[in-house]
Amino acid sequence: MFEGIIPALVTPFKENFDVDFEGIAKNLDYLEKHVDALVPAGTTGEAATLSYEEHIEVVRYVCEVASKPVIAGAGSNSTREALYLAREVEKAGANAAMFVTPYYNKPNPEGLVKHYGEIAKEISIPILVYNVPSRTGINVAPETAKKLSEIEGVAGIKEASGNLKQVAEIIRITSDDFAVLSGDDFLTLPILMLGGRGVISVTANVAPHIMKEMYEAFKRGDVEKAREIHYRLMPLYDALFIDTNPIPVKKALELMGLAAGKPRLPLVELSEEKTEKLKKVLSELELI
């Protein structure tokens, strides 16, 4: 469950911005034969603008229709609210849950350890820590990651700090059964080479088959082939972060005839100028 290519799912919306559950099913049909697990209701799934009821329903629906393991987004900057979501996504059928570090209130390392420790005590499914300092304002240092890895039930970390030295140090000082997953698409191959297990990916919504091809080449020892695919994917990595995630990936899915809808405010649609750049990259990869 905590290895390979794992898309951080987009939450498609209808024109009135209600969740498009049929659209979720359509996208899963495109994805599932190429990926290893699924992450609904995370950053890419616009969890920040889903109500708790919508959040739980999205997770429940993905659990009902998907054939792959489900790692549900369930984070909050309030431990009490994170505990509520933890219990609810477990009841909804999730195989694991992922919790972003508390944002805005900026807990110190002791607070982080207590936060995740409280969550891990309350649910029976394994949990992932999600470290994304660019969004949360705090960073999980390697020493803190080691303490978190020693909590029963904490199975790994999605590392989106963009700092390869930090990722390498986390892998070095934690046990082999603690999964380190890339949270930055462009660092997937470097992190695999350092000992990471895979990636929770935006790009895998759009090009799951190419991401999987790279991963499988690496796993069978064909590093040259994996590197060739990495460089082929680099323009797509860049294009999907030409604006705030998930603005570009939603536009990409729309251009591909998959389900997306506009992002909810305060996010807005991709500009025409940036859309043209995205179209060019999608066309070069024969995705449109």
Side-chain angles (χ1 to χ4, degrees), residues 38-239:
L38 303 159
V39 175
T43 303
T44 308
E46 296 178 78
T49 54
L50 295 177
S51 69
Y52 282 158
E53 292 77 15
E54 289 173 322
H55 187 127
I56 295 159
E57 282 306 308
V58 166
V59 171
R60 180 176 291 112
Y61 185 78
V62 172
C63 291
E64 287 173 356
V65 302
S67 62
K68 296 297 171 73
V70 175
I71 306 166
S76 172
N77 67 333
S78 161
T79 303
R80 180 178 292 184
E81 291 177 11
L83 283 167
Y84 167 74
L85 282 172
R87 296 183 188 110
E88 290 300 315
V89 300
E90 182 176 23
K91 286 192 288 186
N95 304 100
M98 183 177 73
F99 298 86
V100 69
T101 53
Y103 39 86
Y104 188 76
N105 41 15
K106 298 178 74 172
N108 61 22
E110 181 184 1
L112 282 174
V113 171
K114 287 187 174 180
H115 174 76
Y116 285 103
E118 287 296 311
I119 295 167
K121 279 194 306 187
E122 289 295 320
I123 58 174
S124 60
I125 57 176
I127 69 175
L128 285 181
V129 177
Y130 177 18
N131 185 38
V132 57
S134 65
R135 287 185 182 262
T136 64
I138 63 167
N139 178 49
V140 178
E143 297 78 13
T144 306
K146 186 175 190 302
K147 290 178 182 176
L148 292 171
S149 74
E150 293 164 354
I151 297 171
E152 185 177 356
V154 178
I157 186 168
K158 176 185 176 182
E159 234 297 338
S161 67
N163 184 336
L164 275 178
K165 183 177 181 182
Q166 173 166 297
V167 175
E169 182 66 2
I170 291 170
I171 293 169
R172 186 183 76 82
I173 66 176
T174 57
S175 65
D176 290 344
D177 60 359
F178 185 71
V180 177
L181 295 161
S182 175
D184 292 301
D185 286 343
F186 74 99
L187 290 180
T188 301
L189 183 58
I191 288 175
L192 286 172
M193 296 183 77
L194 289 169
R197 303 276 187 87
V199 61
I200 296 178
S201 168
V202 176
T203 305
N205 285 282
V206 174
H209 53 299
I210 306 176
M211 294 284 288
K212 185 69 170 183
E213 185 184 2
M214 179 179 71
Y215 175 76
E216 289 182 340
F218 174 80
K219 291 296 285 184
R220 67 174 179 265
D222 192 348
V223 176
E224 187 60 41
K225 179 67 173 177
R227 186 165 54 216
E228 173 194 316
I229 299 167
H230 167 80
Y231 285 120
R232 180 152 56 98
L233 282 168
M234 277 188 66
L236 183 58
Y237 296 154
D238 290 342

Side-chain angles (χ1 to χ4, degrees), residues 12 20-33 61 65 205 253-254 256-260:
D20 178 4
F21 289 98
E22 290 182 2
I24 293 174
K26 181 178 182 179
N27 291 350
L28 289 175
D29 283 343
Y30 173 70
L31 290 170
E32 284 209 272
K33 58 183 172 290
Y61 185 78
V65 302
N205 285 282
L253 292 173
E254 176 191 309
M256 294 167 65
L258 293 166

